[in-house]
Amino acid sequence: MHKNIWHAKNVKSILKELNTDSNHGLSESEALLRIKKNGRNILPEEKKDSVFKIVFSQFNSPLIYILLIAGFITLFLQHFTDALIIFITIILNTTIGFLQEKKASDILNKLKSIVKVKSYVIRDGLEKEINQSDLTIGDIIILHAGNKVPADCRVIESHDLKINESALTGEWQSVSKKIDVLEENTQIFDQKNMLFMSCGVESGWGKAVVVEVGSKTEI
């Protein structure tokens, strides 16, 4: 089924189509098979900048342009000592900027590997806490205030569930979620029975079934 029409199907038919159960969820063995089939629930990362690109970016500054012009002018006028000082200043500025940016990038990469977003899922009839990356299509998740929506999901229970969808739509006002079936042509910002990856739960709680993961999510 195309991901854009989950909102137009009732809960019972979606659970049947995804071969899952709202109370029991998937079994661990079935979840592993689906992860192999659909891929892990992670977003593709941006390509890291090369060392050359980071070094080159240090020169992209009006101050550096001015210093370079000044350096060549003083060199042309044969003020070699002044020219040397200017070029040494440029080299020092570039080196320090490169080292700072490289260090910040390394720290960020280490943090990404340490910090894992957790999700509450029902597996084998038990509520468990797992890494967001281990979610797969058909998983039944439980969301509470303060949680991040870990994947694209269809709401199957809503108890005053309100979601901030600014990460996706740019709208800061929270959206009340419901389980009602919507028209097939309903636009994404009006899909009140859907939850989208990276959006935040502001209040209430609810239960949902995962319908899309990773790079196939709307985000």
Side-chain angles (χ1 to χ4, degrees):
M1 178 184 287
H2 192 275
K3 65 182 178 181
N4 288 332
I5 59 173
W6 292 111
H7 59 275
K9 295 287 183 178
N10 63 55
V11 171
K12 185 177 180 180
S13 65
I14 291 174
L15 294 175
K16 183 178 180 181
E17 182 173 345
L18 297 180
N19 194 22
T20 188
D21 181 86
S22 60
N23 295 314
H24 189 269
L26 299 175
S27 66
E28 289 291 350
S29 58
E30 176 63 20
L32 287 174
L33 289 174
R34 295 191 185 196
I35 289 172
K36 288 181 180 179
K37 178 183 177 182
N38 302 305
R40 302 194 75 80
N41 184 36
I42 55 176
L43 296 175
E45 294 187 357
E46 293 183 4
K47 187 178 180 180
K48 294 180 181 179
D49 291 338
S50 65
V51 172
F52 175 79
K53 187 173 182 179
I54 295 175
V55 172
F56 183 77
S57 68
Q58 305 307 313
F59 289 92
N60 190 22
S61 164
L63 177 60
I64 296 299
Y65 297 153
I66 293 170
L67 287 173
L68 283 171
I69 293 170
F72 285 117
I73 290 175
T74 53
L75 193 63
F76 177 77
L77 296 174
Q78 297 185 348
H79 296 165
F80 299 118
T81 302
D82 292 340
L84 181 62
I85 292 172
I86 291 172
F87 287 124
I88 288 175
T89 301
I90 293 172
I91 292 170
L92 285 173
N93 180 83
T94 302
T95 303
I96 293 171
F98 168 77
L99 291 175
Q100 288 179 329
E101 189 167 338
K102 184 73 167 56
K103 184 178 180 180
S105 178
D106 291 342
I107 291 173
L108 182 59
N109 288 330
K110 287 180 180 178
L111 283 173
K112 284 181 178 180
S113 65
I114 295 171
V115 178
K116 302 291 185 182
V117 178
K118 299 291 185 178
S119 301
Y120 296 97
V121 63
I122 298 175
R123 293 261 178 93
D124 292 311
L126 301 173
E127 184 178 337
K128 301 178 181 180
E129 187 180 38
I130 66 172
N131 289 331
Q132 174 179 319
S133 59
D134 293 330
L135 281 177
T136 190
I137 293 173
D139 262 327
I140 305 298
I141 63 169
I142 298 173
L143 292 161
H144 298 276
N147 293 157
K148 283 284 187 181
V149 179
D152 284 2
C153 311
R154 172 65 157 84
V155 180
I156 59 178
E157 275 188 43
S158 177
H159 303 271
D160 296 320
L161 183 64
K162 292 185 178 180
I163 306 292
N164 185 315
E165 297 183 339
S166 58
L168 185 66
T169 66
E171 294 292 333
W172 286 97
Q173 188 171 359
S174 61
V175 179
S176 295
K177 294 297 179 175
K178 58 185 181 180
I179 66 171
D180 301 357
V181 177
L182 302 174
E183 294 293 330
E184 189 172 321
N185 61 356
T186 304
Q187 297 299 310
I188 188 170
F189 43 81
D190 286 326
Q191 292 177 12
K192 300 186 186 302
N193 58 8
M194 294 291 296
L195 307 176
F196 301 105
M197 189 180 196
S198 296
C199 297
V201 182
E202 286 202 349
S203 62
W205 71 278
K207 188 186 286 187
V209 57
V210 176
V211 295
E212 295 291 357
V213 295
S215 60
K216 293 183 178 180
T217 58
E218 290 290 349
I219 197 69

